[in-house]
Amino acid sequence: MITVELEAGREAVCTENPFGNALGGWPPLYHQWLTHQASQTASLVINTFPTGVGKTAAALLPLLDRHRKDNCLLIAPTNELLAQHERDARTFCERAGLDHLVYRITAEAIDNLKQLPGIAAYRRADRFYQFLQDPRAALGLDQRRPLLLVTNPDLLYLALYFRFNKQDRRNLFRAFAKFKYLVVDEFHYYSAKQFANFLFFLGFLRSYGYFDDGQQVCLLSATPHPKLREYLDRLRIPTIDVAPDQPAVGLPTIPTLAPVQLRLYSTSDLAGLEELIGGAELTAIAGRLAGGEQGAVISSALWRINQLHATLRQAGLGDRLARMTGAETTAARQAARSADLLLATPTVDVGYNFERLEKARQSIDFLYFDARFADELVQRIGRAGRVLGKAVADVPSHVVGAVPDEIYEALKPFDGKRVPRAELTAAIRGLPHRHNLFAYLRSGAIGEAFLPIYHLYQMTEPGEQQDVRHLFEDIRELFAGDSRLTFDRLLIKTRSFAKLEESLEKIEGTDDKSVARLAAQWVDQSAREHHQPLSAEDRAAFVAEAKRPGTPHFESARDWLDGQLRRYHALKAAYHFRDAFSGPEALIFDPDHLLASSDVTRYDVFHVATNYRARFFASRRVWMSECRQSAVDDAEFYCALQARLAPDERLRLELRLIVGDDLHAWENEFVGRLCALHGLTLETPNGRLPRELLDGWKNQYVVALVLPEETRPAGQLKALARDSGTRIMALTVSSDVSTRQRRYCCALGTSALPAEAELRRSIQLWQRREGTGGPAIVV
């Protein structure tokens, strides 16, 4: 165990208040004033001050003058943080007397737009566009007002990468490009792939002169990855950093962070928070709650949060607890705010303040957490001891954490000492961050960014298409100046993907109906590939036979469609902001609230299978009857939770795939590159899965990077999974005509893209030695 006393945090404060009541009548902190000053001249402002010192308020200050009449966009990574920002932004605007209409938009909120008096559109995306065009009319207001839209990056991505439906994608692209001021909070939260999406947006704005026209961006991050700044510098736009190392000579200071009594345990010496909280710390927690303190428990693992919730309930603390997790409803998370001990996952941990306005001291008196990465450690410690604007600032917060050996060893020299937070942060700055895979920016990001470039090219008059080619050159220089990819080469590839998507986006598998629907496409493509022009009469005959199940042509068309779907899904994986991989959902009857505080919860069925003993039902009708539930929406699975599995009982899910008799041929086609696997089934070596789950993936195309066990690339993939949070699973591939089989490990979903980019050189060397494989798919 390491014990460290973190000194109280203080920030310089201006002696005068030039912002009226915008900050509650208080003079601004020096970094807030600096942020406002930077906004007067810079196109890009980057504020990297510590957590808990009012960075979001600093980013809103330009609304007082430069962007007083402009539509503005505030981006935050989680919906729970969006709700907090909406409240804070509305309070800011009301205090400052601004006209901005503050409105929070999520995917769910877009559905609800149809209830507004001024929205008449039928399509979801069209409703969204109508709202962005004229929120005054949409809301039935008397006068036009500038919009301050609070939203998540997913909607920005869908608009910028033309991922809304075909009728509305151009309108929404233009609508988002016209926001004059963009604030991106918790910028460190995003993976390298997601960072590339923001980088493309900034590069687009630069190339088309939006920054020259007064457009502006403010990035906020307490723990930025050093690599991010390298790429931002390549934008070559006026940038000002507002960083903690900037001196504030002669200014007074005020407390922003209370002292922290920090204890850290190594995860190699501790099974996890469940061992700590279920053992020696249980009495301490009960005593702190009894003494009027309030606290939080934060873990990346939902199963661990629920295990701890059960432990604390059994200890008689149930009426003091609440969970704030992705399995909870929005209403349940809102109600949880009043609980004395909050148990949270990163769904709410990122940037969330756990604010208790009625307290004279910090909102969190004590905190327990686990952290796998250096930036997570800094972020979670930053949740404790926030005293900005509080009357009492000298009461220490007590923080206990479980960290990996690498972080533990780096902090050992601080054991028993009193140190500034900045010194502790500096000691682990070079250790792995949550997102650390940047090879994708040099490879896949260029191809991904070409999709919006392709659509811009399609919607531009021929005489102006040279501007789009210049945009591509700028983006290529931004991501990888030495790339050999050309505009024309990517134009062909992206046009091919666009055609694939147009024909396949509503096709889910190779069922008879789908094969028959696309039979004509198979006939035409086969004729082109074999250089055999068909008369109209012959073509009609071939198509008719290809539509009849049981004929040789029909089976050939089915094989062709399967190949098309594999290719489509492998390419499509690049065009998701978050992970494209997710298990099917189940409707879960949970009367004992083992998973969440509602009796019925919709959640990932694989999480249920791994962590709970559950009874599965054959249909919704049977589930409703047996569980006595009223009508609900359809789901892929229906179950009732019976008990939580202990940590050592949790099921380990693996995948199995049965292929033809030539495993070598299968490996040449699928191993060592991005691919889409079809026909996967689940198995578990340490338990029994319900029958209803066994075929849960057979009809899905799952994007993966597959590598044989016991090879160097597979070992590197496992290391990436450990160091970056990449999701991997074991896969057994066997022959359908023999007992031959082989074991693999694979990265699944969108996370396979940066993993493949990171390991590409190693995979190519292995393939040369083995004489197997070929070029990887590069999107």
Side-chain angles (χ1 to χ4, degrees):
M1 178 183 71
I2 297 173
T3 301
V4 183
E5 181 182 347
L6 297 181
E7 294 178 357
R10 302 183 68 87
E11 292 294 338
V13 62
C14 298
T15 55
E16 296 181 0
N17 176 21
F19 304 127
N21 197 44
L23 299 174
W26 295 95
L29 296 177
Y30 182 54
H31 82 86
Q32 294 174 329
W33 180 83
L34 284 175
T35 302
H36 178 263
Q37 290 298 106
S39 72
Q40 305 306 301
T41 56
S43 297
L44 175 62
V45 178
I46 308 172
N47 187 319
T48 56
F49 265 70
T51 186
V53 297
K55 290 194 299 296
T56 306
L60 294 175
L61 289 172
L63 302 184
L64 299 176
D65 37 54
R66 183 168 179 176
H67 297 293
R68 192 175 189 90
K69 296 183 178 180
D70 294 334
N71 288 342
C72 304
L73 191 63
L74 175 53
I75 299 283
T78 68
N79 286 342
E80 193 63 35
L81 188 54
L82 288 182
Q84 177 178 293
H85 281 340
E86 180 189 29
R87 293 190 298 271
D88 293 345
R90 185 172 287 116
T91 298
F92 179 91
C93 291
E94 289 171 353
R95 286 173 172 172
L98 295 172
D99 289 334
H100 284 83
L101 173 65
V102 180
Y103 204 89
R104 172 167 48 108
I105 284 285
T106 61
E108 181 182 3
I110 292 177
D111 288 333
N112 294 332
L113 287 176
K114 60 187 175 185
Q115 300 172 9
L116 296 180
I119 297 291
Y122 173 75
R123 298 186 307 273
R124 293 176 72 252
D126 194 16
R127 291 197 293 268
F128 189 23
Y129 175 68
Q130 279 194 23
F131 177 83
L132 294 177
Q133 283 294 99
D134 194 352
R136 174 199 61 82
L139 294 167
L141 302 177
D142 294 334
Q143 63 184 39
R144 197 176 187 93
R145 296 165 58 185
L147 175 65
L148 174 52
L149 187 71
V150 183
T151 190
N152 56 44
D154 306 72
L155 294 180
L156 176 65
Y157 181 86
L158 291 172
L160 294 179
Y161 281 73
F162 290 80
R163 304 309 290 159
F164 281 104
N165 64 59
K166 190 173 183 178
Q167 298 97 319
D168 304 299
R169 56 178 54 155
R170 292 185 179 188
N171 287 338
L172 283 166
F173 177 89
R174 293 190 179 105
F176 271 90
K178 290 179 180 178
F179 280 98
K180 293 287 281 188
Y181 184 42
L182 170 67
V183 178
V184 184
D185 194 17
E186 303 292 341
F187 197 61
H188 59 272
Y189 177 83
Y190 302 106
S191 67
K193 179 185 180 303
Q194 293 167 331
F195 171 67
N197 306 146
F198 283 111
L199 203 59
F200 162 75
F201 184 38
L202 298 180
F204 163 77
L205 295 178
R206 181 198 65 185
S207 295
Y208 274 75
Y210 283 90
F211 290 122
D212 297 334
D213 194 36
Q215 208 148 18
Q216 199 170 28
V217 177
C218 183
L219 305 180
L220 306 176
S221 173
T223 55
H225 195 290
K227 198 78 171 176
L228 301 184
R229 188 52 203 261
E230 175 187 327
Y231 281 94
L232 291 172
D233 286 342
R234 296 183 187 181
L235 288 167
R236 300 190 307 277
I237 59 177
T239 301
I240 293 179
D241 286 281
V242 179
D245 56 1
Q246 293 171 285
V249 180
L251 290 179
T253 62
I254 62 171
T256 55
L257 295 166
V260 164
Q261 301 293 333
L262 176 65
R263 280 186 289 134
L264 294 177
Y265 294 84
S266 170
T267 50
S268 64
D269 299 327
L270 191 71
L273 285 183
E274 62 273 24
E275 178 183 337
L276 194 63
I277 292 177
E281 295 297 316
L282 190 57
T283 302
I285 291 173
R288 292 190 182 282
L289 292 173
E293 296 186 20
Q294 294 170 309
V297 178
I298 301 172
S299 174
S300 298
L302 175 60
W303 70 264
R304 179 170 285 124
I305 286 295
N306 283 322
Q307 186 78 34
L308 294 171
H309 184 262
T311 298
L312 293 166
R313 284 181 65 187
Q314 290 167 6
L317 302 177
D319 59 341
R320 312 291 296 275
L321 309 175
R323 286 169 289 189
M324 300 187 77
T325 70
E328 298 286 351
T329 63
T330 301
R333 291 200 294 266
Q334 184 71 25
R337 296 176 188 276
S338 60
D340 293 322
L341 181 57
L342 296 174
L343 282 68
T345 57
T347 300
V348 294
D349 170 42
V350 179
Y352 185 68
N353 286 337
F354 297 95
E355 188 63 70
R356 293 181 170 98
L357 297 175
E358 73 284 356
K359 291 184 71 173
R361 62 179 188 273
Q362 61 265 36
S363 297
I364 296 180
D365 299 301
F366 64 94
L367 169 68
Y368 292 82
F369 71 89
D370 57 30
R372 290 183 296 170
F373 308 109
D375 53 336
E376 281 187 342
L377 171 64
V378 173
Q379 176 182 301
R380 289 176 185 174
I381 293 176
R383 301 278 80 81
R386 296 184 176 196
V387 292
L388 181 61
K390 299 288 188 178
V392 178
D394 57 355
V395 177
S397 285
H398 296 268
V399 178
V400 182
V403 297
D405 290 351
E406 193 174 9
I407 293 177
Y408 186 84
E409 292 297 323
L411 296 180
K412 260 188 176 180
F414 296 128
D415 188 21
K417 296 181 180 179
R418 185 170 180 262
V419 299
R421 291 190 187 220
E423 192 173 330
L424 180 138
T425 300
I428 59 174
R429 184 168 289 134
L431 298 182
H433 280 49
R434 178 174 178 265
H435 294 302
N436 208 32
L437 307 182
F438 284 89
Y440 181 79
L441 272 75
R442 293 186 50 79
S443 54
I446 301 173
E448 182 182 358
F450 198 85
L451 182 64
I453 293 173
Y454 166 79
H455 285 292
L456 282 170
Y457 193 73
Q458 296 294 105
M459 59 193 274
T460 302
E461 295 295 329
E464 299 176 355
Q465 286 181 335
Q466 191 63 33
D467 292 339
V468 183
R469 288 180 175 268
H470 289 155
L471 169 64
F472 167 73
E473 296 299 332
D474 287 345
I475 297 300
R476 184 175 63 178
E477 182 70 25
L478 185 60
F479 288 134
D482 58 353
S483 172
R484 297 181 181 179
L485 291 171
T486 65
F487 184 95
D488 292 320
R489 177 182 170 190
L490 286 173
L491 182 66
I492 294 170
K493 289 176 63 111
T494 308
R495 182 184 291 128
S496 174
F497 169 75
K499 290 180 178 179
L500 264 181
E501 183 166 59
E502 187 173 346
S503 62
L504 298 179
E505 63 178 336
K506 294 182 180 179
I507 302 295
E508 296 183 356
T510 56
D511 57 279
D512 290 357
K513 185 177 180 181
S514 297
V515 175
R517 177 179 167 184
L518 296 178
Q521 288 188 31
W522 169 72
V523 170
D524 292 340
Q525 183 166 320
S526 297
R528 287 194 301 271
E529 289 176 351
H530 292 90
H531 306 290
Q532 294 180 345
L534 295 174
S535 66
E537 184 177 349
D538 287 342
R539 181 181 182 278
F542 278 125
V543 170
E545 184 176 356
K547 288 183 176 182
R548 285 200 303 273
T551 66
H553 280 356
F554 184 89
E555 293 308 315
S556 295
R558 187 193 300 279
D559 292 341
W560 168 82
L561 177 56
D562 179 63
Q564 294 289 94
L565 285 168
R566 291 181 191 276
R567 179 166 171 255
Y568 167 59
H569 284 282
L571 293 169
K572 183 184 175 185
Y575 306 118
H576 292 266
F577 186 76
R578 298 187 198 264
D579 198 343
F581 167 80
S582 61
E585 286 190 335
L587 268 175
I588 305 156
F589 181 52
D590 183 18
D592 296 324
H593 301 165
L594 302 174
L595 173 63
S597 57
S598 302
D599 287 348
V600 175
T601 302
R602 181 185 289 269
Y603 206 67
D604 176 16
V605 73
F606 296 140
H607 178 84
V608 173
T610 302
N611 296 285
Y612 296 92
R613 187 159 52 251
R615 179 187 175 194
F616 280 79
F617 299 89
S619 67
R620 182 180 72 164
R621 181 183 59 79
V622 176
W623 180 83
M624 290 169 57
S625 174
E626 293 285 330
C627 300
R628 299 182 181 179
Q629 294 298 304
S630 56
V632 291
D633 294 336
D634 284 334
E636 293 177 79
F637 295 96
Y638 302 86
C639 66
L641 300 190
Q642 297 171 323
R644 180 182 296 103
L645 297 175
D648 59 349
E649 296 176 323
R650 296 172 65 235
L651 296 187
R652 189 170 72 251
L653 297 181
E654 296 185 354
L655 301 174
R656 175 172 288 277
L657 183 65
I658 300 176
V659 298
D661 60 338
D662 192 346
L663 289 184
H664 182 72
W666 180 88
E667 191 165 86
N668 277 339
E669 185 174 356
F670 291 98
V671 172
R673 73 204 65 201
L674 290 174
C675 63
L677 302 176
H678 185 235
L680 291 168
T681 57
L682 279 175
E683 61 180 21
T684 177
N686 66 331
R688 192 178 70 171
L689 287 171
R691 179 181 54 81
E692 291 85 354
L693 279 179
L694 293 178
D695 296 332
W697 273 359
K698 274 198 169 179
N699 294 321
Q700 290 195 38
Y701 287 83
V702 180
V703 174
L705 170 66
V706 181
L707 297 169
E709 288 276 13
E710 311 305 328
T711 62
R712 178 177 174 79
Q716 293 171 321
L717 179 60
K718 292 174 183 177
L720 286 183
R722 183 183 63 248
D723 295 340
S724 68
T726 300
R727 184 203 301 261
I728 65 170
M729 289 183 72
L731 167 67
T732 300
V733 178
S734 58
S735 168
D736 59 358
V737 296
S738 71
T739 58
R740 292 184 61 208
Q741 64 179 33
R742 190 168 184 184
R743 296 271 294 176
Y744 302 85
C745 69
C746 51
L748 301 177
T750 301
S751 60
L753 276 74
E756 189 275 336
E758 207 76 21
L759 300 178
R760 184 172 300 166
R761 179 61 178 164
S762 176
I763 292 172
Q764 289 172 346
L765 290 173
W766 166 73
Q767 287 173 332
R768 284 199 201 104
R769 286 196 305 269
E770 297 294 318
T772 185
I777 294 175
V778 179
V779 181

